[in-house]
């Protein structure tokens, strides 16, 4: 890089590190915000509802900060709490704002806060009350379950001459309260229960939780344990993507692709079962390592089965990219350009299909992904076909990582020897995030007096649903199901 | 002379979503191939003989479940698949609703597990066939 290029880069992005941003925020806001917590690529601080508008304005418009994407809004009325996430794709950093009243008895007015967020971020509209859309979009109502596999939401549509004017996806049917799930659970029980929050790739919530707690305790994890974690993550990534491809095949009506995909998925699930003892819910990650070691015979079996799986998945991809019927149902439908994809705060394959590179495995450098050579696949047009093909490409990269891990798995312990009951946690909030197959999965964890733990999961579902709704506008009614399926909205939403 | 594996045929309607549904879909695939026993998945409750209740069910979904059950034609059977359905772990602390649910819906077969394997599902369906 020449000096001029270097100078240009420095001038363009003067602040790129979380520590620098932390200092800048501290100088800019002073007493208006609470203490700033730094978790690598995640920052967290408290703001009172009165100061929120000013803070958002500065974070959005200050040229040194430019946090111009609303990543999420999470309401917790029973806890009198609101979480707002602002993302800067260029810096790869997320600012998490915890809106809390100084006087605990004073209730937060969610409606007025969301109205003030709407002034700076258009996609905040999604988080306001949208029940009226049920009445305005009554030309067609498709209840969940009726089309196979689209089972977590109802679809309300208004259309004219077969062209969709407006779509509303209501996920009331799949929303459940996670507080009941974690009721009376200690830390070990939480690991056993948390995995259902992302049931298609159940290892990721476990990993996210354990990474958060390890970050709090400043634990160093044995290298072998980290490699085994990565191995499992990539196996679950493949399984989840194959599940997505199977669903798409089912909706398109291609029985060949469906059967081939389910066969390959079984092979991956078989490997997962040999390692963890369970096909779907692993309950394998522990604080300080993993539950048990992998034998050399399992490693040999994985290395032996990978070429066959790769070859067969390549065949399925050929089917998708050459079959005229499949192409007709996917190609050049429901475009999403980079600008729109970024404005919805998308992450994961749906963002990368539009051609924008953002992957926590490379950008945040969690676990030891930096030890491996792999590329982040990108799409070109951001249409339905790109959203499917990119998942095939991610499967190949995951197979490549698994192959490397299996070859260089170091010898050593797989868990830090520690007495969990003797751990004393300091009272602190934690934000932990991992790159799930569908996008970024985050956990807000709060340690309360008496080591009571409160968890708020923040998944990619809301952003994917919002982007899907917007993509459907102007779409032909015939392409409705394939478009919705291509956004992979299958996880439940928690409140 | 070859003997058919199919004693009678069942159309099943799978309600809800979650990890259990992943395993039910796996049982439809070519590895387990539940269709060799005459069992196929129905897209509409009107076509179904067996209702599979599984996964996370919130208050709204349980109300819809009553509608689905009402739309099914007699004779009809209900299978509780997985821990969530068996233990009423519906993630809703609404005792009245669970009471109404138990009164209105009587399970014919329970398939325990979290989630149960596809083999367990196939075995349960075969037992249900024997029972009928």
């Amino acid at each position: 890089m020449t000096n001029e290029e270097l100078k240009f880069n420095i001038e363009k992005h003067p602040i790129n590190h979380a520590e620098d941003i932390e200092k800048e925020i501290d100088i800019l806001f002073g007493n208006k915000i609470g203490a700033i917590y730094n978790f690598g690529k995640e920052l967290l601080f408290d703001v009172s509802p009165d100061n929120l508008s000013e803070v958002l304005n500065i974070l959005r418009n200050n040229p040194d900060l430019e946090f111009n994407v609303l990543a999420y809004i999470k309401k917790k009325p029973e806890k009198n709490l609101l979480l707002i996430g602002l993302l800067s794709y260029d810096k790869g950093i997320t600012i998490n704002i915890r809106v809390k009243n100084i006087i605990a008895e004073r209730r937060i007015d969610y409606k007025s806060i969301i109205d003030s967020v709407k002034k700076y971020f258009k996609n905040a509209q999604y988080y306001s009350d949208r029940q009226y859309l049920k009445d305005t979009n009554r030309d067609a109502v498709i209840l969940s379950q009726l089309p196979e596999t689209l089972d977590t939401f109802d679809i309300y549509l208004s259309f004219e001459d077969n062209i969709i004017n407006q779509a509303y996806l209501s996920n009331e049917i799949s929303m459940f309260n996670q507080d009941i799930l974690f009721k009376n659970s200690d830390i070990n029980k939480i690991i056993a229960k948390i995995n259902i929050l992302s049931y298609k790739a159940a290892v990721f919530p476990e990993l996210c939780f354990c990474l958060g707690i390890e970050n709090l305790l400043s634990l160093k994890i044995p290298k072998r344990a980290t490699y085994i974690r990565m191995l499992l993550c990539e196996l679950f990534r493949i399984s989840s993507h194959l599940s997505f491809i199977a669903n798409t095949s089912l909706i398109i009506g291609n029985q060949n692709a469906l059967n081939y995909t389910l066969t390959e998925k079984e092979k991956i699930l078989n490997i997962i079962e040999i390692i963890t003892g369970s096909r779907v819910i692993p309950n394998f990650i522990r604080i300080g390592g993993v539950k048990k070691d992998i034998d050399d015979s399992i490693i040999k079996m994985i290395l032996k089965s990978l070429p066959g799986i790769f070859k067969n998945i390549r065949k399925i991809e050929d089917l998708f990219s050459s079959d005229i019927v499949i192409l007709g149902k996917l190609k050049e439908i429901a475009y999403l350009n980079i600008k729109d994809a970024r404005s919805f705060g998308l992450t994961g394959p749906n963002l990368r299909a539009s051609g924008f590179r953002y992957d926590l495995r490379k950008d945040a450098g969690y676990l030891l992904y930096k030890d491996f050579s792999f590329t982040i696949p990108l799409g070109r047009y951001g249409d339905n076909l790109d959203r499917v093909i990119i998942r095939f490409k991610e499967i190949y990269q995951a197979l490549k990582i698994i192959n490397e891990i299996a070859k260089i798995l170091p010898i050593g312990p797989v868990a830090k020897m520690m007495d969990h009951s003797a751990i004393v946690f300091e009272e602190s909030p934690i934000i932990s995030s991992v790159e799930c197959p569908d996008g970024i999965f985050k956990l807000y964890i709060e340690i309360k007096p008496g080591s009571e733990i409160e968890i708020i999961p923040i998944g990619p579902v809301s952003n994917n649903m919002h982007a899907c709704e917007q993509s459907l506008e102007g779409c032909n009614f015939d392409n409705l199901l394939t478009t919705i399926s291509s956004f992979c909205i299958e996880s439940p939403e928690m409140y | 002379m070859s003997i058919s594996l199919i004693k009678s045929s069942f159309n099943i309607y799978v309600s809800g979503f979650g990890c259990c549904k992943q395993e039910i879909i796996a049982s439809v695939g070519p590895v387990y191939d539940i269709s060799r026993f005459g069992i196929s998945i129905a897209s509409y409750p009107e076509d179904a003989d067996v209702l599979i209740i599984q996964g996370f069910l919130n208050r709204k979904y349980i109300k819809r479940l009553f509608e689905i059950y009402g739309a099914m034609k007699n004779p009809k059977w209900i299978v509780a698949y997985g821990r969530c359905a068996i233990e009423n772990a519906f993630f809703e602390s609404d005792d009245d609703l669970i009471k109404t649910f138990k009164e209105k819906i009587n399970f014919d077969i329970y398939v325990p597990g979290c989630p149960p394997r596809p083999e367990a599902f196939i075995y349960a369906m075969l037992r249900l066939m024997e029972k009928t």
Side-chain angles (χ1 to χ4, degrees), chain A residues 26-49:
Chain A
D26 205 13
I27 294 163
L28 281 170
F29 299 123
N31 292 333
K32 284 175 188 162
I33 61 168
I36 304 171
Y37 300 90
N38 186 345
F39 309 104
K41 295 283 182 182
E42 304 273 350
L43 297 175
L44 172 73
F45 55 80
D46 288 346
V47 178
S48 74

Side-chain angles (χ1 to χ4, degrees), chain A residues 358-369:
Chain A
Y358 182 66
D359 190 323
L360 280 193
R361 288 178 295 173
K362 288 268 188 192
D363 293 328
Y366 73 97
L367 296 179
L368 287 172
Y369 279 106

Side-chain angles (χ1 to χ4, degrees), chain A residues 161-386:
Chain A
D161 297 337
N162 233 10
I163 302 293
I164 297 166
N165 286 334
Q166 197 178 27
Y168 170 53
L169 306 183
S170 164
N171 63 349
E172 285 171 1
I173 211 84
S174 65
M175 288 182 86
F176 68 90
N177 191 345
Q178 87 267 2
D179 292 344
I180 297 163
L181 178 64
F182 300 125
K183 199 166 60 181
N184 304 328
S185 297
D186 63 4
I187 220 160
N188 294 320
K189 278 185 189 166
I190 286 174
I191 297 173
K193 287 178 177 178
I194 202 167
N195 35 33
I196 65 162
L197 298 181
S198 170
Y199 53 81
K200 275 170 68 186
V203 81
F204 288 95
E206 283 179 23
L207 177 70
C208 190
F209 179 74
C210 290
L211 284 177
I213 299 290
E214 283 158 9
N215 196 358
L216 183 72
L217 298 171
S218 306
L219 278 180
K220 202 179 174 208
I221 309 305
K223 205 172 180 183
R224 187 177 174 88
T226 312
Y227 276 32
I228 293 173
R229 284 178 175 188
M230 285 161 63
L231 179 78
L232 266 181
C233 283
E234 296 312 312
L235 283 170
F236 270 99
R237 195 180 307 280
I238 297 172
S239 155
S240 174
H241 284 341
L242 287 175
S243 188
F244 165 84
I245 294 162
N247 284 347
T248 311
S249 315
L250 189 64
I251 285 170
I252 291 171
N254 193 317
Q255 204 66 27
N256 275 354
L258 173 69
N259 286 341
Y260 284 137
T261 314
L262 287 178
T263 311
E264 296 314 306
K265 195 187 162 196
E266 282 302 322
K267 288 177 189 167
I268 298 290
L269 290 181
N270 190 28
I271 297 174
I272 292 172
E273 191 182 10
I274 289 168
I275 296 172
T276 67
S278 170
R279 286 157 54 91
V280 182
I281 303 289
N283 189 11
F284 193 72
I285 313 285
R286 293 285 180 271
I287 294 162
V290 292
K291 194 165 83 177
K292 62 175 186 179
D293 202 357
I294 302 180
D295 293 340
D296 286 345
S297 58
I298 298 173
I299 298 290
K300 276 180 195 164
M301 187 271 289
I302 293 173
L303 282 171
K304 203 178 164 188
S305 59
L306 286 183
I309 294 171
F310 175 75
K311 212 183 271 180
N312 292 339
I313 293 176
R314 185 72 96 179
K315 275 183 198 166
I316 304 168
E317 193 199 352
D318 287 346
L319 199 65
F320 266 82
S321 50
S322 62
D323 190 313
I324 199 159
V325 178
I326 296 178
L327 286 177
K329 289 182 180 178
L330 294 175
K331 206 175 177 184
E332 297 174 4
I333 292 162
Y335 286 109
L336 198 63
N337 60 30
I338 295 181
K339 198 183 162 198
D340 288 344
R342 281 169 58 125
S343 72
F344 294 125
L346 281 185
T347 50
N350 291 346
L351 173 70
R352 294 192 285 269
S354 298
F356 188 78
R357 190 188 304 274
Y358 182 66
D359 190 323
L360 280 193
R361 288 178 295 173
K362 288 268 188 192
D363 293 328
Y366 73 97
L367 296 179
L368 287 172
Y369 279 106
K370 63 180 185 314
D371 290 1
F372 299 95
S373 64
F374 65 99
T375 53
I376 306 295
L378 294 178
R380 195 177 289 175
Y381 307 111
D383 59 353
N384 286 349
L385 186 65
D386 268 352

Side-chain angles (χ1 to χ4, degrees), chain B:
Chain B
M1 192 183 102
S2 59
I3 301 164
S4 172
L5 287 168
I6 302 173
K7 288 177 184 170
S8 58
S9 69
F10 267 153
N11 285 336
I12 57 172
Y13 183 83
V14 187
S15 71
F17 59 93
C19 4
C20 294
K21 192 158 188 181
Q22 299 293 311
E23 294 295 64
I24 293 172
I25 291 171
S27 72
V28 179
V31 176
Y32 294 99
D33 194 15
I34 200 170
S35 59
R36 68 200 149 118
F37 301 110
I39 297 159
S40 55
I41 290 188
S43 295
Y44 298 92
E46 289 84 354
D47 304 337
D49 309 305
V50 183
L51 173 66
I52 313 285
I53 295 179
Q54 53 86 34
F56 324 126
L57 306 175
N58 65 9
R59 196 171 302 151
K60 286 200 170 153
Y61 202 93
I62 290 177
K63 280 174 189 165
R64 186 166 294 174
L65 213 53
F66 294 147
E67 288 170 20
I68 291 171
Y69 186 62
M72 286 169 67
K73 286 169 192 160
N74 281 323
K76 52 192 172 186
W77 296 272
I78 304 180
V79 176
Y81 189 80
R83 181 184 150 265
C84 296
I86 293 171
E87 293 182 10
N88 297 319
F90 296 134
F91 311 114
E92 292 281 355
S93 57
D94 191 338
D95 293 338
D96 289 343
L97 192 74
I98 289 173
K99 202 180 159 190
T100 323
F101 183 79
K102 278 184 173 175
E103 278 170 8
K104 281 199 178 180
I105 291 182
N106 296 314
F107 293 122
D108 293 288
I109 288 246
Y110 292 88
V111 190
C114 188
R117 292 178 59 87
E119 289 97 328
F121 178 61
I122 294 170
Y123 180 71
M125 294 311 296
L126 295 178
R127 288 295 301 274
L128 189 65
M129 274 185 177
E130 280 172 17
K131 210 175 154 183
T132 55

Side-chain angles (χ1 to χ4, degrees), chain A residues 411-471:
Chain A
I411 299 164
V414 291
K416 203 115 182 156
M417 295 299 284
M418 55 197 283
D419 182 6
H420 286 190
S421 59
I423 300 171
V424 181
F425 294 103
E426 54 180 287
E427 289 170 32
S428 165
I430 313 160
I431 293 271
S432 174
S433 53
V434 291
E435 182 75 34
C436 243
D438 301 340
I440 292 176
F441 181 87
K442 266 184 223 269
L443 280 179
Y444 167 84
I445 309 164
E446 195 173 346
I447 313 280
K448 293 192 162 178
S451 291
E452 191 192 330
I453 297 175
E454 187 187 319
I455 295 172
I456 301 177
I458 302 153
V461 183
S462 306
N463 294 343
N464 287 345
M465 281 181 84
H466 192 195
C468 179
E469 279 179 6
Q470 299 299 316
S471 305

